[in-house]
Amino acid sequence: MEIRPYKPGKSALTGITDVIKLSSNEGALGPSPMAVEAFRGQGDELHRYPDGEATSLREAIGRRYNLDPSRIICGAGSDELFYNLARAYAGPGDEILYSQHGFNIYPIVAHSVGATPVTAPEKNLIFDVDAILDSVNSRTRIVFIANPNNPTGSYISGDELRRLRQGLSEGILLVVDGAYAEYVNRSDYEDGVTLVDGSENTVMTRTFSKIYGLGALRVGWGYCPTKIIDVLNRLRAPFNITAPSQAAAIAAINDTEHVLLSQEHNRHWLSWLSDQVQAHSNSGLKVYPSVGNFILVQFPDFPGRRASDANSFLARRGIIPRETTGYGLPDCLRITIGKEGEVKYLATAISDFVFSWGKSVK
Ligand code: PMP
């Protein structure tokens, strides 16, 4: 009963049929058409159990990311991997550590195995390696870092990530959650593969829910040391990835052109939207720098201008951002980079929201 159930981004607004859903960081361009075709192609085989080991999918991931498929494990979303890592390596009396505005699943995962979730403060909404290391004690079993982080959009460099690993004792598992890794274009960013290769206690997780646009199918994967793969394979449900999901994910990962298009789309519109919103800084709006497929916008603490007011204003236009009160950021909204028309419509709506203040009583 200690679990505060996960609140997904809203997808509907009463009375509005055509909503613009910018609340769940779903890939703006949707999946590769080849993935959709592969998914449909499974229609005649639905009576067959899937390959429980997801062999072809792991091989496709291995080819694409230059990794040994025997050290890859697939999960029903990366979420399933987090749960199984916690089941394997933490329990009552143990602590699971993550940063102040870290991804909301981590505390749920901790409670689900009877462990205690512990947060360490961030600096300017950025993961603070020193604060995390200061929060480690003899009960700490797992440290989760989302890099880039949701909902802040911030990241830490490869050097910082290594410093984190070096500062943690061998008995602590480090989980590097790279759900948004494919979107990052910073030269000092590292996804964690070399860390996994260089240690026995580091795992990197990734997902098909974001840039590959397959959130509906629930496919994630982890790159792990062999001993951890062995443990996770014992814990996971035998047929955890459905056959249509495996087929679609393989097609998606092989369509490198679609991924490039999605990256290019995000690079352009992330920067465009950030600039558009930042142009209202005189009015008290703030955009935090993001390397993911979303931005975090802070609103002024003034009646009629707050994040909750913006949320209602946007809702009247059919736009659904993500409220971030549950992330300890009640003055912010997280907004996913959608299609071109959606991004432009949103930017206009935010301008109109700010403009509407002129009409309100000062
Ligand atoms: N990690 C982070 C940081 C996320 O934002 C999300 C999705 N919101 C996930 C993991 C989970 O993704 P999935 O279970 O769909 O793979």
Side-chain angles (χ1 to χ4, degrees):
M1 297 317 291
E2 280 166 319
I3 294 178
R4 214 164 7 122
Y6 182 75
K7 257 201 195 165
K10 273 193 210 149
S11 51
L13 294 168
T14 19
I16 301 184
T17 37
D18 280 337
V19 296
I20 295 181
K21 186 184 177 211
L22 303 176
S23 55
S24 297
N25 296 345
E26 295 147 339
L29 304 186
S32 151
M34 292 188 231
V36 178
E37 199 182 310
F39 176 80
R40 290 210 175 102
Q42 291 291 309
D44 291 337
E45 295 294 320
L46 297 186
H47 55 307
R48 304 282 179 212
Y49 275 90
D51 170 10
E53 290 170 6
T55 312
S56 304
L57 175 55
R58 287 186 298 104
E59 283 169 2
I61 296 168
R63 269 195 307 278
R64 167 72 181 76
Y65 290 93
N66 202 18
L67 301 173
D68 174 1
S70 73
R71 291 179 52 196
I72 293 170
I73 182 154
C74 294
S78 34
D79 286 346
E80 189 202 14
L81 299 169
F82 304 149
Y83 280 99
N84 283 342
L85 285 165
R87 284 168 76 200
Y89 297 108
D94 295 336
E95 293 183 357
I96 292 183
L97 180 59
Y98 56 99
S99 73
Q100 191 181 359
H101 304 295
F103 182 38
N104 255 350
I105 286 287
Y106 308 149
I108 297 178
V109 160
H111 282 307
S112 77
V113 298
T116 307
V118 176
T119 58
E122 295 177 357
K123 247 192 209 142
N124 261 334
L125 301 199
I126 301 174
F127 188 100
D128 181 349
V129 172
D130 295 310
I132 288 279
L133 295 178
D134 284 347
S135 305
V136 169
N137 61 43
S138 59
R139 294 180 295 279
T140 311
R141 289 287 168 272
I142 303 178
V143 173
F144 278 105
I145 173 173
N147 202 31
N149 185 50
N150 166 20
T152 53
S154 58
Y155 77 106
I156 62 168
S157 67
D159 284 348
E160 279 292 277
L161 195 58
R162 263 188 297 280
R163 194 163 76 79
L164 171 64
R165 177 67 268 179
Q166 277 157 14
L168 297 171
S169 68
E170 282 193 4
I172 298 177
L173 176 72
L174 174 64
V175 181
V176 184
D177 169 359
Y180 302 94
E182 287 86 357
Y183 288 108
V184 185
N185 58 356
R186 293 286 193 280
S187 55
D188 62 349
Y189 175 76
E190 286 175 34
D191 60 9
V193 164
T194 44
L195 263 189
V196 177
D197 283 338
S199 74
E200 286 296 306
N201 44 21
T202 306
V203 166
M204 175 191 72
T205 61
R206 303 287 277 266
T207 184
F208 280 88
S209 305
K210 307 298 170 188
I211 203 153
Y212 293 106
L214 293 176
L217 298 186
R218 315 304 303 124
V219 191
W221 57 279
Y223 180 59
C224 316
T226 311
K227 281 185 190 155
I228 296 182
I229 287 280
D230 182 37
V231 169
L232 291 178
N233 270 327
R234 290 164 199 269
L235 282 174
R236 69 175 174 80
F239 303 103
N240 59 339
I241 319 290
T242 72
S245 302
Q246 293 186 35
I250 292 168
I253 211 164
N254 287 336
D255 189 352
T256 46
E257 206 174 303
H258 188 76
V259 175
L260 283 175
L261 270 180
S262 304
Q263 284 168 329
E264 183 51 27
H265 174 92
N266 194 68
R267 194 192 56 71
H268 180 77
W269 292 109
L270 173 69
S271 131
W272 186 86
L273 183 63
S274 303
D275 289 349
Q276 293 290 313
V277 181
Q278 196 57 48
H280 300 298
S281 58
N282 285 345
S283 307
L285 264 61
K286 177 174 176 173
V287 184
Y288 285 91
S290 171
V291 295
N293 68 336
F294 55 90
I295 57 170
L296 185 74
V297 184
Q298 189 175 43
F299 290 84
D301 181 15
F302 191 86
R305 303 178 184 187
R306 298 197 167 106
S308 53
D309 301 310
N311 191 41
S312 312
F313 187 95
L314 295 175
R316 287 196 290 277
R317 303 234 172 149
I319 302 171
I320 316 180
R322 177 70 138 95
E323 294 179 271
T324 49
T325 304
Y327 282 98
L329 297 163
D331 51 349
C332 296
L333 293 177
R334 191 195 70 193
I335 304 170
T336 304
I337 304 301
K339 294 189 178 71
E340 174 176 348
E342 296 172 335
V343 178
K344 287 181 171 167
Y345 186 66
L346 168 83
T348 306
I350 289 190
S351 292
D352 290 349
F353 175 58
V354 172
F355 180 69
S356 74
W357 303 346
K359 294 183 192 151
S360 62
V361 184
K362 293 229 169 95

